[in-house]
Amino acid sequence: MLRASILAALTAASACGPAPVAMPATRASELLERFAAGAADADVCTPGGRALLRGAVRAYGAAMDVSGVAWPSVPVSEETPDRLGAVDISVLVAFAAGFVEASDFRGASRAALTELSFAHWPEMRWMREGARVACAEVVALQTAAARVVMEMERLRFVEGAERVRRQQARLERAQVQMQAAAAVVEARLAAEREG
């Protein structure tokens, strides 16, 4: 009897929360854009917010799959993060943090995620552990990482020496903010380990 009770309690505890929210691809696209911009429709630190994000990832991924596109683009060793869009980065960071699961992705992207290494993104190594201890701070790091990618993308299309200089300064500020956000998460993790 005790064994059955323990098994039932463990099963209940392992349930992640609500199932991913079903939605059309257009709504999913809009939600993912807002998530990448740091203006999510719901707090991903809550089960309901994660269910909404997971639903958006599933719906958008399914639409891309129908179009024959593997989404999100997952970096491999010869690629660099600057080839990815802000939504891709945000979703990959959400995966690293455990806000979305590998089962939320389709096809080639799902397979690539199992081999994903954040070695070239040192700030992302401990995201999943960080999300358990400092969820809001991890969300801030996700937003900062997406901003770095957006500023990199803008820099590619800027012309004129003065405009390039100003855009490079914006990119450097975004990188400093991302590193600062990463340092906050890392400090919270260190304090948790010591405490």
Side-chain angles (χ1 to χ4, degrees), residues 87-168:
V87 170
D88 293 317
I89 292 290
S90 293
V91 169
L92 292 174
V93 173
F95 170 72
F99 299 147
V100 294
E101 301 297 328
S103 63
D104 296 324
F105 300 97
R106 301 174 72 94
S109 291
R110 181 187 292 184
L113 282 167
T114 62
E115 299 174 14
L116 180 63
S117 168
F118 288 98
H120 49 284
W121 291 339
E123 297 85 359
M124 307 301 158
R125 286 188 305 255
W126 25 254
M127 294 292 284
R128 198 165 289 253
E129 183 184 358
R132 289 187 207 109
V133 179
C135 187
E137 290 83 354
V138 167
V139 172
L141 176 54
Q142 167 269 315
T143 303
R147 181 160 177 252
V148 166
V149 172
M150 287 186 274
E151 298 299 350
M152 283 178 168
E153 188 64 15
R154 288 181 185 137
L155 183 58
R156 289 178 49 200
F157 298 103
V158 171
E159 294 179 1
E162 181 59 24
R163 287 184 172 175
V164 168
R165 187 192 63 72
R166 285 195 311 258
Q167 185 57 37
Q168 285 174 330

Side-chain angles (χ1 to χ4, degrees), residues 15-73:
C16 296
V21 175
M23 66 184 71
T26 53
R27 179 170 180 235
S29 176
E30 292 166 1
L31 190 144
L32 291 171
E33 288 286 341
R34 286 192 300 274
F35 177 69
D41 291 11
D43 182 0
V44 294
C45 294
T46 66
R50 288 183 190 188
L52 187 63
L53 180 61
R54 291 183 68 204
V57 167
R58 285 179 176 215
Y60 189 75
M64 296 298 281
D65 193 48
V66 167
S67 299
V69 176
W71 179 86
S73 178

